[in-house]
Amino acid sequence: MKTKLMRERLLASSMICGAAMLGLATPVAAQDTGAAEVSELIVTGSRIPTPNLTSVSPVQVVGAEEVLLGGRPDTADVLNQLPQVTQNSQTGLSSTSNPLSGPGGVATVDLRGLGQQRTLVLMDGRRLGVGDPNTGNPNASPDINQIPSQLIERIEVLTGGASSTYGSDAVAGVVNFVMKRNYEGVQIDAQWGVYQHNQHNEFVQGLLRSNAPAINVPKRAWDGKSRDLSLVFGLNSPDRRGNVTAFFTYHDQDPVTQGKRDYSACQVNTTAAGIAGCAGSSNSNIFYLADGTGDDFAVLGDAFVPYDPNASTTPVPRFNSNDYSYLMQQNTRYTAGFFAYYEVSDKVELYSDFNFMDSRSNVQIAPTGLFQGSGATDTGGFLVNCDNPFLSGQQRGAIGCTADEIAAGAAKDLYIGRRNIEGGGRNSYYQHQNYRIVGGARGSIVDSWKFDVYGSYYYTSLYQASENYLSIARIQEALLVQQGANGPECISGGSCVPYNIFQDGGVTDAALAYLDVTGTSRGVTTQRIMEAVINGDLGDYGVRSPWATSGVGVAFGVQNRRDHLEYAPDVAQLSGDLSGAGGASTPIDNSISVTEGFGEIRVPLVEDMAFARELILEGGYRYSDYSTSVSADTYKVGLQWAPTSDLRFRGSFQRAIRAPSILELYTPRSVTNTSQLGVDPCAPNGGAAATASLEQCLRTGVTAAQYGNGGTTNTIVQCPSGQCAVLTGGNPVLDPEKAKTVSVGFTLTPGFLPRFVASVDYYRVKLDGSIGSVPLGITMDKCLTTGDPAFCSLISRAPNGTLFGTSVVGGGYIDGSNVNIGAGKVEGLDFQASYALPLEDWGVDNWGGLSLSFAGSYLLKNTTVPLPGDPEYDCAGLFGPTCQTLNPRWKHNLRLNWTTPWDATVSLAWRYIGGVKFERDSGEPTIGSNTTPELFNPRLPARSYVDLSGVWHVRENFSLRAGVNNLFDQDPPLVRNTIAETGLPNTYPVYDLLGRRLFIGFTADF
């Protein structure tokens, strides 16, 4: 009897979850399985609670069972499995994000690939604030690390605009975390996980062996251990009118470096002929004159030898950053809080929520040092005096020091690339502390009228430390050295310690201690919300359609929201003194507030008639008045038609907005490195002449003398490490982005197939006036080919013609500041299905039951118009640097659960990511410009991942679970580094990056 009851509960749970996934309430099916009837519910995307409500927009639900069976303790990892969610190096952040991307220790969600800043995140229907106040993280959005996965009852994902319901940011859709409440008792949950990977990429292993020096990786890896613990405590009030549910969770994740996997152990790049090899940074052991004359040298012993990428020098001439860079970030996180309510009377209920998070992360990248073009002089070089006692006679001659210059102590301006191999990797430490307080009252007014009034305060603080960096100013002092009475000493005197990088083994611990500097910054972001909502049924007053029995439902309310963001770097970061930090940090202290009024209506037009079991019209409107002197209105209209109880058609049109964030409006301008433009076409590259002509390069600010013949006499230095410079910053006159979203589809609940629910929906999101920058490659190409001042004025070359400056005043960058300029469109088809079946219905007794859930998405178009008047290009089915990540036509998740008669559930999941084609081979306008086909990465093949897990209910109050994700240890497809992006592990974070993951855990209730 107990086994049968458990089986029925699982089948009912799967049935109701599947219905909710499609936006359906199914009380009849619930009655069939013994589950409680749902009398009233609110589906994400509407504020009108109505019995048997159906959603005009498709809503996908991830239930607590899916979270449990998936064994993924990070909430971001749960969401990133969904076909509608994507990741790239700048959005959809997680623990496996690019370690060079700037933000760290945060996780975000990106629906439809439209950017994390265009996905609204809610907890129990209430907005969450920005989770990271760092100006180096321009795409402001909530940090979903604050959502403990153990407390999730379900996740509702509504794709498409919902600004009329929730306000700004709901352009791509809404993710609503519904938390567990009203718990009584004590629950302890613990889980342990580890990654196991067998190195089987023989192609890359061949590259590693042929590299000079050879790169070794372990044949088998057991790493990335995680430990999770949660405690939930619930208590009802003595009169049973209230409840407090409190929780505490702990999460600890070990880091993994890219060097621990063969496919990411080095930067895989190719020659023009398509021959692959291990690439690396030249910022390791290279010296040359900043004026572009003379040869390139490396230190060997106490001499300068011609620079050779394959030479055996110390440091190596071609540095392998991947051996240090994190593939998975380290993180230790605590969360705690409570959910409480008390019924003061039959008409009024008071409620309160409190959430707290303390998250600490470390993100490591390759060692700092001296970087070409990022020095202390105006040219970006370092001065080295000719009578420096660390220079041998041969070295003085190599850099052109004459006898008179040696005698006078004259200095040479050198570009130097020299890794701090003695000091180890750079580390960024992030501590985010977050708390959220909600207090309110809800209840009945009169008749069917109900109210909900609440206030919330959201607070996030950031402490960030950039550790193990060298000071540029101190490096310069330590390179100007004279012979003193007690040996070499800094000319500047004081506490300066000479820095000897001109001899093998010349760097001392004392010099490193003097040069080492830690830059710190602090930030705070807050959000205050006051909201009041009233809803009711006008049917109480006879307001209903003559062809319907249900009345007209309405809801209306007001909201005031104020966001504040403050970020304060210390002197070291403000001055840009940290060598290898990518430029100076920028401070900010500003606020935005908005007052909004909104309303919704739901009109049953026809009910219980032939070919019209239900015909329902919905509408909504919202007016927003911002403190930036900008106002906006949004609206929605939707229609549902159910000709029978088995079939329902639905469609909606919504106008959504996204108001510019504080960072987009007010961030001061600064210069930083970027791989968005990695090659200066007016400078020689790898021994080859400049690809652009003199006439073209003159348009970009190059002089004829600097260009020379484009090759041997060209004095312009190429952007080092595949990173030119960009000027970033806010724009206080930005307008809100505007989007028009369309959704049309149907749901199917056939009576002849009980417990089956399915839906198909077409969606389209058209975005205009999107906030961003003119792509740097387009700016350069337009200037070169047309000379249009609108583009050429965005290029600011340094006095020596380079494009890798470090300051606004010094030049050497392309302007990438925020503008309302872009447009785009995403459209496709979503498929969802759920089926629950007791095997006894097939005549198989005593074997339990099966349940099946499926979610798939087919991408029809993903178009972008980078500039007004330009042709649009379509990234659907493509991958590449302009498309930012991969955009497969088809993605799906399929899960099959078998509820056995032995108090256990076995689950098998299949995750599929379709194949994609390289963007430059596509023939698309703007991006499909390859004159020769891509030889190494013409396509990325499809990937299938199989997950296996199970739960065993040992006793009524104790269960064990275990599982393996990526059961067959599939490697991600290999992508050469110049396509994927500097810092990524030769692939994209959309894939499983670490191999097979094993987990085991238990849940105990008392």
Side-chain angles (χ1 to χ4, degrees), residues 23 58 307 338 395 398 400 421 453 522 567 663 933:
Y307 178 81
F338 66 82
Q395 290 173 322
I421 59 171
V453 179
R522 297 179 183 274
Y567 181 68
L663 292 175

Side-chain angles (χ1 to χ4, degrees), residues 149-354:
S149 62
Q150 301 92 333
L151 269 293
I152 295 174
E153 179 70 27
R154 65 183 184 275
I155 307 171
E156 299 176 346
V157 180
L158 181 148
T159 53
S163 289
S164 62
T165 303
Y166 300 112
S168 175
D169 304 341
V171 171
V174 179
V175 176
N176 183 23
F177 295 96
V178 180
M179 311 304 290
K180 295 178 181 178
R181 296 170 177 269
N182 206 29
Y183 182 80
E184 187 174 16
V186 177
Q187 182 183 87
I188 299 175
D189 186 276
Q191 181 171 295
W192 180 84
V194 65
Y195 285 95
Q196 191 280 321
H197 179 67
N198 297 322
Q199 314 288 358
H200 48 252
N201 195 316
E202 296 181 1
F203 173 78
V204 179
Q205 289 178 27
L207 303 181
L208 301 178
R209 287 190 296 268
S210 62
N211 188 70
I215 300 172
N216 297 309
V217 294
K219 292 183 179 180
R220 295 178 181 84
W222 290 84
D223 50 27
K225 296 176 183 177
S226 63
R227 295 152 288 270
D228 290 88
L229 175 69
S230 73
L231 173 66
V232 180
F233 173 80
L235 180 66
N236 289 326
S237 63
D239 57 5
R240 315 294 292 181
R241 297 170 66 95
N243 176 270
V244 176
T245 300
F247 64 90
F248 168 83
T249 74
Y250 166 78
H251 170 72
D252 186 53
Q253 175 69 61
D254 290 348
V256 179
T257 62
Q258 295 180 10
K260 299 300 184 182
R261 299 293 184 269
D262 52 9
Y263 59 83
S264 62
C266 75
Q267 295 180 14
V268 176
N269 273 329
T270 62
T271 65
I275 301 174
C278 280
S281 169
S282 62
N283 283 307
S284 181
N285 190 346
I286 187 169
F287 300 74
Y288 55 97
L289 292 169
D291 61 9
T293 62
D295 298 321
D296 299 346
F297 301 105
V299 170
L300 180 62
D302 61 353
F304 278 146
V305 297
Y307 178 81
D308 178 0
N310 298 311
S312 297
T313 62
T314 305
V316 295
R318 186 177 56 196
F319 193 80
N320 181 24
S321 301
N322 292 32
D323 197 36
Y324 295 84
S325 296
Y326 276 175
L327 184 62
M328 170 173 280
Q329 302 173 8
Q330 183 278 330
N331 179 251
T332 301
R333 183 169 64 246
Y334 302 88
T335 65
F338 66 82
F339 308 111
Y341 75 91
Y342 186 75
E343 296 177 4
V344 178
S345 68
D346 293 340
K347 290 185 174 295
V348 178
E349 175 184 290
L350 301 179
Y351 61 88
S352 178
D353 298 350
F354 175 76

Side-chain angles (χ1 to χ4, degrees), residues 100-111:
L100 298 179
S101 64
V106 294
T108 60
V109 57
D110 178 6
L111 289 175

